[in-house]
Amino acid sequence: MLNLAVLVLATVFIGALAQFPSDCDRTYSVQAGDTCNSISENHDVSSFQLAFVNTVINADCSNLFIGQLLCLGRNGQDCTIVHTVGDGESCVEIANNAGTPLNVLLENNQNVNATCSNLIVGEVLCTEMTLIPYHSS
Ligand SMILES: *[C@@H]1O[C@H](CO)[C@@H](O)[C@H](O)[C@H]1NC(C)=O
């Protein structure tokens, strides 16, 4: 019984490690009370990047656990200039304020759709002026 528990724990641990990027530049250990938005806002990581890099996080970000190791940014594809979406803000406004072309804003935040009609207040957008070369492997 003990051996089985050890095996299950080891499998879970190895599974988590296998999904952790080897070229991670910024790591973060989840604290009590964290949400994806709070992690993004407090550590300058876009909502898209946090989800894209950490495929273990589910769609509504309800499976975080205390002590969980997350990667906030991978080497060469880490956007650190960000903006938290406020009430009533539009992509055009956010892009203009950041001095970023709208198409770059949309490319760097692949969770935002082409008409920018799915912005969510409190989500964090990458507002770098250049394209971040996101790739998954
Ligand atoms: C953008 O997202 C909104 C809200 O989910 C949706 O109603 C709209 O059809 C989407 N537009 C495009 C171009 O995907």
Side-chain angles (χ1 to χ4, degrees), residues 113-119:
N113 73 21
T115 54
C116 194
S117 49
N118 63 344
L119 272 192

Side-chain angles (χ1 to χ4, degrees), residues 28-84:
Y28 178 69
S29 177
V30 174
Q31 316 283 306
D34 279 345
T35 62
C36 279
N37 280 354
S38 73
I39 293 169
S40 287
E41 180 160 15
N42 294 335
H43 302 280
D44 294 336
V45 50
S46 70
S47 299
F48 168 73
Q49 182 170 301
L50 186 67
F52 186 73
V53 175
N54 300 278
T55 51
V56 294
I57 301 176
N58 63 12
D60 62 356
C61 192
S62 60
N63 65 344
L64 294 180
F65 57 90
I66 294 168
Q68 181 177 16
L69 191 64
L70 298 178
C71 177
L72 301 184
R74 292 174 58 185
N75 187 265
Q77 43 179 323
D78 187 7
C79 178
T80 56
I81 302 175
V82 296
H83 172 79
T84 303

